Amino acid sequence: MNIIEITNLKKYFSCKQSFWGVQRWLKAVDDISFTVKKGSVFAIVGESGSGKSTVARLLLRLITPTSGKILFKGKDIQSFKRDSLKDFRKSIQIIFQDPFASLNPRMTVYDSISEPLKIHKIIHKSEIKSKVVGILNKVGLQEDILNRYPHEFSGGQRQRICIARALAVSPEIIVADEPLSALDVSIQAQILNILQELQKNSGISFVFISHDLRVVQYFSDEVAVMYLGKIVEKAKTEDIFKKPLHPYTIELLSSIPLIEKAKDKNFQKYNEKLKDKCEATDIFNAPSGCVYSARCIKKIEVCNTIQPELKEIEERMVACHLF
Protein backbone atom coordinates (compact mmCIF):
# COMPACT_ATOMS: atom_id res chain seq x y z
CA MET A 1 0.00 0.00 0.00
CA ASN A 2 1.27 3.47 -0.93
CA ILE A 3 0.91 5.99 1.88
CA ILE A 4 2.18 8.90 -0.26
CA GLU A 5 1.69 9.33 -4.01
CA ILE A 6 3.21 12.32 -5.81
CA THR A 7 2.24 13.02 -9.41
CA ASN A 8 3.78 15.67 -11.73
CA LEU A 9 4.64 17.92 -8.78
CA LYS A 10 6.01 21.38 -9.56
CA LYS A 11 7.02 24.32 -7.38
CA TYR A 12 8.28 27.51 -9.05
CA PHE A 13 9.41 30.58 -7.10
CA SER A 14 9.17 34.05 -8.60
CA CYS A 15 12.48 35.96 -8.48
CA LYS A 16 13.89 39.18 -9.91
CA GLN A 17 17.29 39.37 -11.57
CA SER A 18 17.88 42.85 -10.15
CA PHE A 19 15.99 45.69 -8.48
CA TRP A 20 14.55 46.83 -11.83
CA GLY A 21 15.16 43.62 -13.75
CA VAL A 22 12.95 41.11 -15.47
CA GLN A 23 10.99 38.61 -13.40
CA ARG A 24 12.35 35.07 -13.51
CA TRP A 25 11.18 31.73 -12.21
CA LEU A 26 13.26 29.42 -10.09
CA LYS A 27 12.13 25.84 -10.77
CA ALA A 28 12.83 24.36 -7.34
CA VAL A 29 10.77 21.23 -8.05
CA ASP A 30 10.06 20.52 -11.70
CA ASP A 31 7.58 17.78 -12.61
CA ILE A 32 8.51 14.92 -10.29
CA SER A 33 6.55 11.76 -9.44
CA PHE A 34 7.15 9.03 -6.86
CA THR A 35 5.40 6.91 -4.23
CA VAL A 36 6.24 6.02 -0.63
CA LYS A 37 5.16 2.57 0.55
CA LYS A 38 3.69 2.12 4.00
CA GLY A 39 6.37 1.13 6.52
CA SER A 40 9.29 1.84 4.17
CA VAL A 41 12.11 4.40 4.07
CA PHE A 42 12.20 6.49 0.89
CA ALA A 43 15.37 8.57 0.57
CA ILE A 44 15.87 11.69 -1.55
CA VAL A 45 19.49 12.57 -2.30
CA GLY A 46 21.25 15.27 -4.27
CA GLU A 47 23.53 18.25 -3.82
CA SER A 48 22.48 21.56 -2.24
CA GLY A 49 19.94 23.37 -4.40
CA SER A 50 18.51 20.23 -6.00
CA GLY A 51 15.06 20.78 -4.45
CA LYS A 52 15.09 18.19 -1.64
CA SER A 53 13.94 20.50 1.17
CA THR A 54 11.28 22.06 -1.07
CA VAL A 55 9.81 18.57 -1.55
CA ALA A 56 9.73 18.18 2.25
CA ARG A 57 7.83 21.44 2.69
CA LEU A 58 5.38 20.50 -0.05
CA LEU A 59 4.74 17.13 1.61
CA LEU A 60 3.92 18.87 4.90
CA ARG A 61 1.69 21.40 3.13
CA LEU A 62 3.82 24.26 4.45
CA ILE A 63 3.90 25.67 0.92
CA THR A 64 1.48 25.29 -1.99
CA PRO A 65 2.60 23.53 -5.19
CA THR A 66 2.52 25.38 -8.52
CA SER A 67 0.90 22.29 -10.02
CA GLY A 68 0.66 18.55 -9.52
CA LYS A 69 -0.83 16.41 -6.76
CA ILE A 70 0.25 14.97 -3.43
CA LEU A 71 -2.02 12.16 -2.24
CA PHE A 72 -1.96 10.97 1.37
CA LYS A 73 -3.67 7.57 1.61
CA GLY A 74 -5.43 8.31 -1.67
CA LYS A 75 -6.65 11.84 -0.81
CA ASP A 76 -5.31 15.13 -2.16
CA ILE A 77 -3.73 17.01 0.76
CA GLN A 78 -4.76 20.36 -0.77
CA SER A 79 -8.40 19.38 -0.23
CA PHE A 80 -7.99 18.99 3.55
CA LYS A 81 -9.86 21.58 5.65
CA ARG A 82 -10.26 22.07 9.41
CA ASP A 83 -10.70 18.63 11.05
CA SER A 84 -9.27 16.68 8.12
CA LEU A 85 -6.28 19.06 7.97
CA LYS A 86 -5.74 18.66 11.72
CA ASP A 87 -5.76 14.86 11.30
CA PHE A 88 -3.27 15.18 8.44
CA ARG A 89 -0.95 17.32 10.59
CA LYS A 90 -1.10 14.62 13.25
CA SER A 91 -0.32 11.85 10.75
CA ILE A 92 2.79 13.47 9.24
CA GLN A 93 5.60 14.99 11.30
CA ILE A 94 9.02 16.45 10.52
CA ILE A 95 12.49 16.29 12.03
CA PHE A 96 14.45 19.39 11.01
CA GLN A 97 18.13 19.75 10.22
CA ASP A 98 19.03 22.09 13.09
CA PRO A 99 17.71 20.75 16.42
CA PHE A 100 18.49 23.97 18.30
CA ALA A 101 16.63 26.23 15.86
CA SER A 102 13.59 23.93 15.80
CA LEU A 103 13.09 23.98 19.60
CA ASN A 104 11.51 26.95 21.38
CA PRO A 105 14.22 28.25 23.76
CA ARG A 106 11.55 29.37 26.26
CA MET A 107 9.86 25.98 26.50
CA THR A 108 11.05 23.13 28.70
CA VAL A 109 11.39 19.60 27.36
CA TYR A 110 8.08 18.71 28.98
CA ASP A 111 6.31 21.69 27.35
CA SER A 112 7.73 20.91 23.89
CA ILE A 113 6.69 17.25 23.90
CA SER A 114 3.36 17.66 25.72
CA GLU A 115 2.14 20.51 23.50
CA PRO A 116 1.10 18.30 20.52
CA LEU A 117 -0.61 15.89 22.95
CA LYS A 118 -2.71 18.77 24.27
CA ILE A 119 -3.48 20.24 20.84
CA HIS A 120 -4.71 16.94 19.42
CA LYS A 121 -6.32 15.84 22.72
CA ILE A 122 -4.83 12.37 22.38
CA ILE A 123 -4.93 11.41 26.07
CA HIS A 124 -6.36 12.71 29.34
CA LYS A 125 -4.43 15.50 31.06
CA SER A 126 -3.61 13.28 34.03
CA GLU A 127 -1.77 10.83 31.73
CA ILE A 128 0.31 13.36 29.80
CA LYS A 129 3.39 13.26 32.04
CA SER A 130 3.69 9.48 31.99
CA LYS A 131 3.22 9.54 28.19
CA VAL A 132 6.01 12.13 27.79
CA VAL A 133 8.36 10.10 30.01
CA GLY A 134 7.61 6.97 27.97
CA ILE A 135 8.41 8.76 24.71
CA LEU A 136 11.68 10.12 26.13
CA ASN A 137 12.69 6.62 27.18
CA LYS A 138 12.18 5.43 23.59
CA VAL A 139 14.85 7.88 22.41
CA GLY A 140 17.26 7.15 25.26
CA LEU A 141 16.45 10.07 27.57
CA GLN A 142 15.32 10.03 31.20
CA GLU A 143 12.65 11.74 33.28
CA ASP A 144 15.13 14.05 35.04
CA ILE A 145 15.40 16.32 31.97
CA LEU A 146 11.70 17.28 31.84
CA ASN A 147 12.15 20.76 33.33
CA ARG A 148 15.33 21.68 31.48
CA TYR A 149 15.65 24.04 28.46
CA PRO A 150 17.18 23.42 25.00
CA HIS A 151 20.38 25.40 25.67
CA GLU A 152 21.27 22.95 28.45
CA PHE A 153 21.70 20.02 26.04
CA SER A 154 24.21 18.87 23.44
CA GLY A 155 23.30 18.70 19.75
CA GLY A 156 22.62 14.97 19.90
CA GLN A 157 20.37 15.32 22.95
CA ARG A 158 18.42 18.13 21.26
CA GLN A 159 17.85 16.01 18.19
CA ARG A 160 16.57 13.18 20.41
CA ILE A 161 14.11 15.65 21.94
CA CYS A 162 12.98 16.66 18.43
CA ILE A 163 12.45 12.99 17.54
CA ALA A 164 10.47 12.50 20.76
CA ARG A 165 8.30 15.50 19.90
CA ALA A 166 7.63 14.06 16.43
CA LEU A 167 6.69 10.69 17.95
CA ALA A 168 4.32 12.20 20.54
CA VAL A 169 1.28 12.08 18.24
CA SER A 170 2.05 8.59 16.86
CA PRO A 171 2.49 9.72 13.22
CA GLU A 172 2.18 7.41 10.23
CA ILE A 173 4.98 9.12 8.33
CA ILE A 174 8.00 11.20 9.37
CA VAL A 175 9.81 13.56 7.00
CA ALA A 176 13.44 13.75 8.15
CA ASP A 177 15.13 16.73 6.47
CA GLU A 178 18.90 16.32 6.89
CA PRO A 179 18.43 15.18 10.53
CA LEU A 180 22.08 14.22 11.03
CA SER A 181 24.07 16.89 9.16
CA ALA A 182 24.43 19.25 12.16
CA LEU A 183 25.78 16.49 14.43
CA ASP A 184 29.18 14.92 15.07
CA VAL A 185 29.84 11.57 13.35
CA SER A 186 29.69 9.59 16.62
CA ILE A 187 26.36 11.20 17.52
CA GLN A 188 25.03 10.61 13.99
CA ALA A 189 25.39 6.86 14.49
CA GLN A 190 23.40 7.00 17.75
CA ILE A 191 20.55 9.01 16.22
CA LEU A 192 20.48 6.80 13.12
CA ASN A 193 20.20 3.69 15.29
CA ILE A 194 17.28 5.28 17.16
CA LEU A 195 15.49 6.08 13.88
CA GLN A 196 16.08 2.58 12.54
CA GLU A 197 14.81 0.97 15.76
CA LEU A 198 11.69 3.14 15.72
CA GLN A 199 11.02 2.32 12.06
CA LYS A 200 11.30 -1.42 12.67
CA ASN A 201 9.23 -1.48 15.85
CA SER A 202 6.45 0.96 14.95
CA GLY A 203 6.25 0.58 11.14
CA ILE A 204 6.45 4.35 10.60
CA SER A 205 7.17 5.38 7.01
CA PHE A 206 10.07 7.77 6.45
CA VAL A 207 10.88 10.29 3.75
CA PHE A 208 14.59 10.65 4.47
CA ILE A 209 16.29 13.65 2.89
CA SER A 210 20.07 13.69 2.97
CA HIS A 211 23.28 14.32 1.07
CA ASP A 212 25.19 11.77 3.17
CA LEU A 213 25.20 8.72 0.91
CA ARG A 214 26.65 6.38 3.55
CA VAL A 215 23.66 7.03 5.81
CA VAL A 216 21.21 6.63 2.93
CA GLN A 217 22.73 3.28 1.96
CA TYR A 218 22.41 2.04 5.54
CA PHE A 219 18.91 3.31 6.33
CA SER A 220 16.75 3.48 3.18
CA ASP A 221 14.79 0.98 1.09
CA GLU A 222 14.45 3.11 -2.05
CA VAL A 223 16.34 6.16 -3.35
CA ALA A 224 15.44 9.04 -5.65
CA VAL A 225 18.34 11.11 -6.99
CA MET A 226 17.48 14.78 -7.66
CA TYR A 227 19.30 17.37 -9.73
CA LEU A 228 18.02 20.92 -10.36
CA GLY A 229 14.46 20.07 -9.34
CA LYS A 230 14.17 16.84 -11.33
CA ILE A 231 14.45 13.18 -10.41
CA VAL A 232 17.15 11.72 -12.67
CA GLU A 233 17.17 8.19 -11.23
CA LYS A 234 14.99 6.20 -8.83
CA ALA A 235 15.57 2.62 -7.70
CA LYS A 236 15.98 0.27 -4.78
CA THR A 237 18.88 1.31 -2.56
CA GLU A 238 20.86 -1.85 -3.25
CA ASP A 239 20.57 -1.36 -7.04
CA ILE A 240 21.57 2.32 -6.90
CA PHE A 241 24.76 1.66 -4.95
CA LYS A 242 25.68 -1.54 -6.75
CA LYS A 243 25.14 -0.29 -10.29
CA PRO A 244 24.26 3.41 -10.80
CA LEU A 245 23.13 4.20 -14.36
CA HIS A 246 22.63 7.96 -14.68
CA PRO A 247 25.89 9.94 -15.11
CA TYR A 248 24.93 12.25 -12.22
CA THR A 249 24.31 9.29 -9.89
CA ILE A 250 27.73 7.93 -10.86
CA GLU A 251 29.31 11.31 -10.09
CA LEU A 252 27.45 11.54 -6.79
CA LEU A 253 28.56 8.08 -5.67
CA SER A 254 32.13 8.75 -6.77
CA SER A 255 32.25 11.57 -4.19
CA ILE A 256 31.99 9.09 -1.29
CA PRO A 257 35.43 9.17 0.40
CA LEU A 258 36.75 5.60 0.42
CA ILE A 259 40.40 4.57 0.63
CA GLU A 260 39.89 1.86 -1.99
CA LYS A 261 38.82 4.43 -4.58
CA ALA A 262 42.17 6.22 -4.42
CA LYS A 263 43.76 3.04 -5.82
CA ASP A 264 41.13 2.52 -8.49
CA LYS A 265 42.47 3.63 -11.91
CA ASN A 266 38.97 3.87 -13.42
CA PHE A 267 37.90 6.14 -10.57
CA GLN A 268 40.96 8.37 -11.14
CA LYS A 269 40.26 8.62 -14.88
CA TYR A 270 36.60 9.52 -14.23
CA ASN A 271 37.60 12.30 -11.82
CA GLU A 272 40.12 13.70 -14.29
CA LYS A 273 37.46 13.90 -17.01
CA LEU A 274 35.03 15.46 -14.53
CA LYS A 275 37.48 18.22 -13.58
CA ASP A 276 38.03 19.08 -17.26
CA LYS A 277 34.35 19.28 -18.27
CA CYS A 278 32.45 20.18 -15.10
CA GLU A 279 30.51 23.46 -15.36
CA ALA A 280 28.09 25.07 -12.92
CA THR A 281 24.55 25.28 -14.30
CA ASP A 282 22.70 28.61 -14.11
CA ILE A 283 19.61 27.81 -12.03
CA PHE A 284 17.63 30.56 -13.81
CA ASN A 285 18.74 29.52 -17.28
CA ALA A 286 18.52 25.75 -17.17
CA PRO A 287 19.30 24.14 -20.54
CA SER A 288 16.37 23.31 -22.83
CA GLY A 289 17.54 19.71 -22.95
CA CYS A 290 18.78 17.57 -20.08
CA VAL A 291 19.29 19.58 -16.88
CA TYR A 292 22.60 17.79 -16.34
CA SER A 293 23.97 18.33 -19.85
CA ALA A 294 26.31 21.21 -18.88
CA ARG A 295 28.21 18.93 -16.48
CA CYS A 296 27.83 15.54 -18.12
CA ILE A 297 30.99 13.92 -19.51
CA LYS A 298 28.93 11.37 -21.47
CA LYS A 299 26.48 13.71 -23.19
CA ILE A 300 25.50 13.35 -26.84
CA GLU A 301 23.96 15.87 -29.25
CA VAL A 302 20.34 15.18 -28.30
CA CYS A 303 21.09 15.96 -24.63
CA ASN A 304 21.41 19.68 -25.47
CA THR A 305 17.94 20.03 -26.98
CA ILE A 306 15.54 17.41 -25.61
CA GLN A 307 14.72 16.76 -21.96
CA PRO A 308 14.82 12.98 -21.34
CA GLU A 309 11.78 11.36 -19.78
CA LEU A 310 11.98 9.29 -16.62
CA LYS A 311 11.51 5.77 -17.96
CA GLU A 312 11.92 2.22 -16.69
CA ILE A 313 15.34 0.69 -17.36
CA GLU A 314 16.55 -2.51 -15.66
CA GLU A 315 13.85 -2.43 -12.95
CA ARG A 316 14.49 1.23 -12.10
CA MET A 317 13.54 4.68 -13.38
CA VAL A 318 16.19 6.68 -15.28
CA ALA A 319 16.02 9.98 -17.15
CA CYS A 320 18.86 9.72 -19.66
CA HIS A 321 19.17 9.56 -23.47
CA LEU A 322 21.97 7.00 -23.16
CA PHE A 323 19.43 4.29 -22.26
Side-chain angles (χ1 to χ4, degrees):
M1 177 184 174
N2 295 327
I3 192 167
I4 291 285
E5 295 179 40
I6 289 180
T7 308
N8 304 122
L9 187 65
K10 296 181 181 181
K11 181 59 184 178
Y12 297 171
F13 292 99
S14 176
C15 305
K16 287 187 177 179
Q17 186 178 8
S18 62
F19 182 74
W20 55 85
V22 179
Q23 187 180 52
R24 289 185 172 189
W25 295 94
L26 173 60
K27 297 180 179 180
V29 176
D30 191 15
D31 196 17
I32 68 170
S33 301
F34 65 85
T35 59
V36 180
K37 295 181 178 68
K38 188 173 179 63
S40 69
V41 179
F42 185 89
I44 302 175
V45 302
E47 60 195 59
S48 297
S50 60
K52 305 186 303 295
S53 292
T54 303
V55 172
R57 283 155 178 74
L58 288 166
L59 279 171
L60 292 154
R61 224 186 93 160
L62 297 179
I63 54 177
T64 305
T66 303
S67 65
K69 285 187 177 183
I70 302 173
L71 303 182
F72 175 71
K73 293 179 11 180
K75 297 180 179 179
D76 189 346
I77 67 170
Q78 296 303 319
S79 67
F80 293 152
K81 307 290 182 184
R82 297 183 181 178
D83 290 344
S84 59
L85 179 58
K86 190 176 181 180
D87 289 339
F88 171 71
R89 299 285 188 209
K90 174 178 172 291
S91 298
I92 185 165
Q93 294 288 304
I94 186 168
I95 302 171
F96 290 102
Q97 178 177 357
D98 187 348
F100 190 69
S102 58
L103 290 170
N104 189 329
R106 296 186 178 184
M107 294 177 71
T108 63
V109 172
Y110 176 78
D111 293 334
S112 294
I113 299 175
S114 65
E115 185 179 39
L117 294 172
K118 295 172 183 176
I119 290 172
H120 293 283
K121 299 177 181 178
I122 294 172
I123 56 175
H124 193 271
K125 288 183 179 179
S126 61
E127 301 174 341
I128 289 178
K129 184 176 179 180
S130 61
K131 176 73 172 177
V132 171
V133 172
I135 295 168
L136 285 174
N137 291 338
K138 282 185 179 180
V139 297
L141 297 172
Q142 302 304 317
E143 184 178 354
D144 58 359
I145 70 165
L146 285 177
N147 296 316
R148 292 167 63 184
Y149 291 87
H151 71 272
E152 301 179 66
F153 298 98
S154 66
Q157 288 173 318
R158 290 185 201 125
Q159 195 64 296
R160 290 177 190 231
I161 294 167
C162 291
I163 295 169
R165 183 179 59 183
L167 291 172
V169 292
S170 301
E172 296 180 63
I173 184 166
I174 289 179
V175 178
D177 187 7
E178 302 275 11
L180 308 177
S181 61
L183 307 175
D184 293 336
V185 175
S186 59
I187 305 301
Q188 285 183 5
Q190 295 174 23
I191 299 300
L192 187 59
N193 287 335
I194 289 172
L195 293 177
Q196 190 174 49
E197 193 70 23
L198 289 169
Q199 196 271 330
K200 285 181 179 178
N201 294 336
S202 61
I204 296 174
S205 304
F206 275 83
V207 175
F208 190 78
I209 295 168
S210 179
H211 61 266
D212 192 330
L213 297 169
R214 297 167 303 169
V215 172
V216 168
Q217 185 177 14
Y218 176 75
F219 185 53
S220 67
D221 299 307
E222 195 173 3
V223 180
V225 181
M226 287 191 70
Y227 182 76
L228 284 186
K230 287 191 174 290
I231 292 177
V232 295
E233 187 166 358
K234 180 167 67 72
K236 292 179 181 178
T237 304
E238 183 182 355
D239 295 338
I240 283 279
F241 284 87
K242 184 182 290 184
K243 187 183 177 183
L245 294 184
H246 195 281
Y248 177 63
T249 309
I250 295 171
E251 179 190 343
L252 205 60
L253 294 182
S254 72
S255 68
I256 302 175
L258 294 175
I259 295 173
E260 289 79 6
K261 285 184 177 178
K263 302 174 184 177
D264 190 336
K265 292 181 180 179
N266 292 329
F267 174 74
Q268 291 174 346
K269 288 178 182 178
Y270 183 85
N271 268 0
E272 287 170 6
K273 289 181 181 178
L274 199 60
K275 287 176 183 177
D276 292 338
K277 294 195 175 184
C278 184
E279 299 176 20
T281 305
D282 184 350
I283 58 175
F284 292 104
N285 289 313
S288 57
C290 176
V291 290
Y292 187 60
S293 60
R295 289 171 56 176
C296 186
I297 62 174
K298 297 181 178 180
K299 68 179 178 181
I300 54 179
E301 188 63 33
V302 69
C303 298
N304 297 319
T305 55
I306 300 174
Q307 174 63 46
E309 294 182 3
L310 194 66
K311 56 188 176 182
E312 188 172 352
I313 304 289
E314 297 182 16
E315 297 184 349
R316 71 180 74 192
M317 304 299 289
V318 184
C320 184
H321 290 301
L322 297 175
F323 302 96

